[in-house]
Amino acid sequence: MTIPKDKMLEMLHFLMLSRRFEEALTDLCRIEGKIPGMMILCTGQEAVGVGMVAALRPEDVIITNHRSHAHLLTKGADPKVLMAEIYGKRTGCNKGKSGTLHLALPEIGAPCTSTVVGAGPPIAVGRAFAQQYRNEPGITVCFVGDGATGEGSFHEALNLASLWRLPVIFVCENNRYAGAQRQEEHTRIENIADRAAGYRMPGVVVDGNDAMSVYTTALDARARAAAGEGPTLIECKTYRWRGHGESDPQLYQPKEEIAAWRALCPVARMRDAVRARGLISAEDLKAMEARVETLVQEAIRFAEESPYPEPHEALEDVYA
Amino acid sequence: MPQLTMGQALNQALKEEMTRDDTVFLAGEGVGVSIHDNPMLPTAGLLKDFGPRRVRDTPVSEAAIAGLAVGAAEAGLKPVVEIMFNPFFTLASDMIVNHAAKLRYLSGGKSTFPLVVRIKSGAGFGAGCQHSHNLEAWAAHCPGLKVIMPATAADAKGLLKSAIRDPNPVVFFEDMMLYFAPGPVPEGEHLVPIGQADVKRPGRDVTVVTWSRMLGVAFKAAEQLAGEGIDVEILDLRTLVPLDRAAILASVRKTGRLVVLHEATRTGGFAGEVAAVVMEQAFESLKAPLRRVTGPDIPVPASPPLERFYIPDAEQLVKAIRGIL
C-alpha cells in the first residue's frame, strides 16, 4: 500500500521528536541531581512505537512499559508534561508521583505504563474487554519487550484474549536483549511471533526499524481487532542502542553489533524514504527539525522552571 | 427479617448490584457454573439471570483474571472478580498489589479503579494449606487496597454492595465455612459503610476485637464467661482497611482490657496492628497486658485433629481472657 504523505510526515516528525527527546534525556540524566531515579530509553527502536501508534485512532488505547517515550509522544503526549514528570516536578502529567517509569496519561488513551515486566498484557486484556463489553469502536495495543514473553502473565493474557476474541494487539518490541540476556539465552525459539500459534492467533514478524512496515502491519491487525476477529501478536525486530538503563555499561553488547544496528537507524531510514519520494523539500525538512528542537527545548525549560511538589503532596490521591 | 446464609446474602448483593448497574460484571474460575451453581453459594444462578456477557467463566489464569479487573476498571466498568481460594492470591498478587493498588496514585489521581476482588478464605474443610491460608494482613499491608472481611450474612450483603459501589479497589475476603451460616438479612437496599467496626456484643470487663469466622468463637467464649459474671464486649472490625481506630479505642477505654482474635497465623498478623494502635493511643487505659489469640505459625494441616489444633477455639480465648482479668 502507499502510505499517504501526511502520515509519512507525521511519522517522521514523531521519530525525530522521540530521538531528540531521548538524546536530551541521555545528557540530562548525567548531570548530578537533575533527574531522579532510573533512565530507561528506547533509542534505536523508535520505529516500533511510532509506526504502531500512527496506525491507531484517538479512541484506541495503549498499555506501555518502561521504554515508553516514543509510544507516548506519538499518542499525543505533550512533551512538556512528560519532561516535567521525568524531572519529578509538580507540573508533570502525574504530579511527580510516577517519574519516567510509570507515566500515565489516560486523557490521551495511555492510562498505564507498567514497569513490572509482563504486567501489561493482562491489563490490556481488561481494557480491550471493556471496549468489547460496551461495543466501542476502539481497540487496545499492548507493548512488551522480548523478555516479557517469558512471564506467565503474558501467556495467560494471550490465551484469554484469543479465547474471547478481544480487540487487542500485542506488540513484542524485540530489541534482542532482556536485561543483559541475549535472546538465545532466554528462549530457544527464533521468532517470538511463533508463540502466537499456541493461542491460535496470527503471529507476524516485521522489520522493527522500518516505521512504514510497522505501520502497514499495524493497520491490518487493527482492522482485524476492530472487526471482532480477535488479537494479533506482532514481533518487531529491532535493537536497543543504549543499555538496559543509562547506568548499564553495555559490556555484553558487542561494539560491532551496536555499530551495525546504528547503520539501520530508524529515523534516518524514514527521513531518506520521505526525501526519496519527494514528500518534503530540504527547506521544509530543516523547518521540521527546528520545530522538533523547539519542542524539546521548551519541554526542558518548562521542567526546569516548574516547582517540585511540596512534601505533603505525597499524601494526596490517597483513599485507603 | 428473612434468614439467609452468608452465601445467599452475597448472592443477593451481586444480583441487586448487577440489576442496578450494567457496568458490573463477574469473572473468575467456575463463576456461576458447575459446583458453584449451588443455591448456597454466592454466584449461583447468576449466569442464567444475566447471561455470559456479564458472568464470565474464565480459564485457570489468576493473573489474567486480576488484570482483567484492573484494565476494565480503568475503562469505567465495575469488575467483581473471584479468586477461588485465598492462597491463590499469590498468583494474582502482582495485578492486585502493584497495579490495582498503585495505579490511581501513580496517575496523580487521574484514573480510578472501581474493582472488587472476592477471595474465598478460611480453614475448616480439610483441604490443607494450599487451599486454606488467610492472607488478609498481606492485603492490609499494601497501601491502596481496601480490605473487608465480614462475619455475618447481613454485613456480607451490605459490605459487598458498598464495595461494588466504591470507586477504589476492594479486597473482599469471604470465609467459606460461613457460606452455610444463616442470619437475618435486610431485604433490598442494605448498605454497610466501609470502615466501620460494629459492637456485636456490648460488655464491661474485656474487649475482644475480631473479624470473620472468629466472631462465632468470640460469642461462644463470651457466653461461657457470662455464666461466671464476666462481661465480654465483642467488636467486629468488618473492615481492616480503612481501620476503625476510634471504635477500637472507645471499647478499650471502656473495658481496660483487650484480646485480639483471628484465624490467620500469628507473626505479622493483623492483631499486631490492632495492638499497636491501642498501645500508642490508649496505653493508659489498659489494666493488664493485651493478648493475641491466633492460629499458630504453621501451614494449615489437612488431617482433622491437626486442623482443629490450628483453628483458634473458645477454650483458648477463655483462657486468654482469664489470664488478664
Side-chain angles (χ1 to χ4, degrees):
Chain A
M1 72 168 284
T2 309
I3 302 172
K5 176 183 169 183
D6 286 356
K7 196 49 85 174
M8 292 286 283
L9 295 180
E10 177 192 320
M11 287 197 280
L12 179 57
H13 167 82
F14 283 117
L15 284 163
M16 295 195 317
L17 178 62
S18 301
R19 177 62 58 83
R20 281 299 301 133
F21 190 84
E22 290 203 333
E23 284 174 346
L25 287 175
T26 303
D27 295 337
L28 289 165
C29 76
R30 277 170 177 62
I31 304 170
E32 183 72 28
K34 184 73 82 182
I35 294 182
M38 299 181 195
M39 182 51 66
I40 295 180
L41 302 173
C42 67
T43 310
Q45 51 191 82
E46 298 94 334
V48 178
V50 171
M52 278 303 307
V53 177
L56 302 183
R57 299 182 187 175
E59 63 268 29
D60 295 340
V61 169
I62 63 170
I63 302 294
T64 175
N65 59 57
H66 43 286
R67 279 179 223 289
S68 67
H69 299 145
H71 310 152
L72 297 172
L73 287 166
T74 312
K75 193 77 172 80
D78 177 352
K80 285 197 188 105
V81 300
L82 279 192
M83 190 64 87
E85 186 61 40
I86 293 168
Y87 267 70
K89 298 299 183 74
R90 177 200 273 158
T91 55
C93 50
N94 309 122
K95 303 191 286 192
K97 301 275 175 50
S98 78
T100 188
L101 294 185
H102 318 93
L103 297 158
L105 296 104
E107 63 275 21
I108 59 160
C112 175
T113 297
S114 180
T115 58
V116 179
V117 171
I123 296 172
V125 159
R127 209 59 185 66
F129 174 81
Q131 288 162 327
Q132 185 189 65
Y133 187 88
R134 292 194 291 223
N135 203 20
E136 291 171 351
I139 68 138
T140 299
V141 171
C142 179
F143 292 98
V144 296
D146 44 311
T149 67
E151 290 281 3
S153 54
F154 172 83
H155 297 273
E156 290 189 22
L158 263 68
N159 184 54
L160 191 56
S162 178
L163 184 69
W164 290 355
R165 315 284 195 280
L166 294 177
V168 57
I169 305 172
F170 299 100
V171 181
C172 176
E173 205 156 328
N174 184 353
N175 63 15
R176 303 278 165 175
Y177 289 93
Q181 259 188 338
R182 298 176 64 80
Q183 187 184 328
E184 58 271 25
E185 293 175 313
H186 71 74
T187 177
R188 284 191 66 191
I189 59 171
E190 189 182 332
N191 292 324
I192 301 286
D194 290 350
R195 296 200 188 279
Y199 306 105
R200 204 170 160 188
M201 72 170 78
V204 187
V205 178
V206 61
D207 178 351
N209 277 33
D210 177 9
M212 294 173 285
S213 298
V214 175
Y215 172 79
T216 51
T217 306
L219 278 184
D220 290 344
R222 195 201 175 282
R224 199 181 123 74
E229 292 164 28
T232 302
L233 172 62
I234 302 174
E235 177 187 6
C236 302
K237 305 264 195 197
T238 184
Y239 191 79
R240 191 182 83 198
W241 290 11
R242 314 290 307 173
H244 171 69
E246 285 303 284
S247 60
D248 174 356
Q250 296 181 276
L251 300 175
Y252 51 88
Q253 283 174 279
K255 292 205 165 43
E256 322 70 76
E257 186 183 78
I258 299 177
W261 279 93
R262 276 182 176 264
L264 301 171
C265 173
V267 185
R269 236 162 123 178
M270 190 66 178
R271 193 174 52 224
D272 294 349
V274 166
R275 287 290 284 144
R277 291 174 201 196
L279 301 177
I280 194 167
S281 67
E283 205 176 306
D284 287 348
L285 181 62
K286 272 215 165 61
M288 187 187 268
E289 284 168 354
R291 270 202 307 282
V292 163
E293 195 56 33
T294 304
L295 283 171
V296 172
Q297 294 309 322
E298 279 177 358
I300 295 169
R301 192 174 325 117
F302 178 74
E304 295 265 345
E305 291 171 358
S306 290
Y308 281 106
E310 294 295 327
H312 64 80
E313 291 173 35
L315 297 177
E316 291 177 3
D317 307 311
V318 172
Y319 48 82
Chain B
M1 205 180 292
Q3 291 278 319
L4 297 179
T5 63
M6 186 186 279
Q8 292 167 327
L10 289 164
N11 183 262
Q12 206 172 71
L14 291 170
K15 198 177 274 186
E16 287 174 13
E17 294 306 299
M18 290 181 80
T19 303
R20 181 179 172 268
D21 183 351
D22 183 65
T23 66
V24 178
F25 73 94
L26 308 187
E29 294 160 18
V31 164
V33 298
S34 177
I35 55 167
H36 301 102
D37 195 17
N38 169 331
M40 303 300 275
L41 295 179
T43 59
L46 297 177
L47 179 61
K48 192 171 134 278
D49 290 350
F50 296 97
R53 173 174 171 265
R54 300 184 64 195
V55 180
R56 313 291 293 220
D57 181 17
T58 68
V60 183
S61 303
E62 283 81 5
I65 294 165
L68 171 73
V70 173
E74 201 285 328
L77 299 186
K78 296 198 178 82
V80 181
V81 298
E82 178 175 313
I83 299 297
M84 197 185 268
F85 294 101
N86 200 328
F88 308 166
F89 174 79
T90 55
L91 295 162
S93 59
D94 173 55
M95 283 298 135
I96 298 170
V97 174
N98 282 318
H99 296 89
K102 293 177 182 169
L103 291 181
R104 178 170 180 175
Y105 191 76
L106 282 175
S107 76
K110 286 179 181 174
S111 293
T112 54
F113 295 84
L115 63 91
V116 179
V117 182
R118 294 179 40 244
I119 302 184
K120 290 155 67 185
S121 305
F125 56 103
C129 59
Q130 291 179 347
H131 286 71
S132 294
H133 186 175
N134 282 4
L135 293 170
E136 70 268 24
W138 282 19
H141 194 57
C142 300
L145 298 177
K146 298 187 177 184
V147 180
I148 295 175
M149 206 157 175
T152 68
D155 285 347
K157 177 182 174 183
L159 282 163
L160 183 57
K161 285 168 69 80
S162 294
I164 292 170
R165 296 183 196 187
D166 196 278
N168 295 303
V170 177
V171 182
F172 196 95
F173 292 96
E174 300 168 6
D175 190 286
M176 288 175 283
M177 304 308 287
L178 294 178
Y179 279 165
F180 308 98
V185 177
E187 281 179 286
E189 190 75 347
H190 166 61
L191 295 170
V192 173
I194 296 172
Q196 268 185 23
D198 186 37
V199 177
K200 288 287 196 296
R201 183 187 194 281
R204 224 176 28 242
D205 300 322
V206 57
T207 298
V208 173
V209 170
T210 194
W211 53 93
S212 190
R213 188 184 165 206
M214 287 296 110
L215 180 67
V217 172
F219 264 105
K220 204 168 161 197
E223 279 155 29
Q224 189 183 324
L225 289 166
E228 304 169 22
I230 300 167
D231 195 12
V232 177
E233 172 145 311
I234 301 173
L235 182 68
D236 175 8
L237 285 186
R238 304 196 287 193
T239 301
L240 272 56
V241 181
L243 179 60
D244 190 349
R245 293 183 179 82
I248 296 168
L249 294 169
S251 179
V252 170
R253 286 184 178 128
K254 183 173 83 173
T255 64
R257 293 183 176 86
L258 172 67
V259 179
V260 191
L261 167 69
H262 61 60
E263 183 181 305
T265 52
R266 191 173 188 85
T267 303
F270 201 74
E273 180 61 26
V274 175
V277 166
V278 169
M279 293 303 280
E280 284 174 339
Q281 295 180 58
F283 178 69
E284 70 288 350
S285 304
L286 287 176
K287 299 171 188 160
L290 55 83
R291 290 275 184 265
R292 289 178 290 167
V293 176
T294 69
D297 284 331
I298 55 171
V300 176
S303 169
L306 301 180
E307 190 183 41
R308 274 195 298 277
F309 171 84
Y310 172 87
I311 300 171
D313 61 18
E315 198 183 323
Q316 289 169 52
L317 181 57
V318 164
K319 198 175 155 205
I321 291 171
R322 286 214 177 99
I324 56 170
L325 280 171

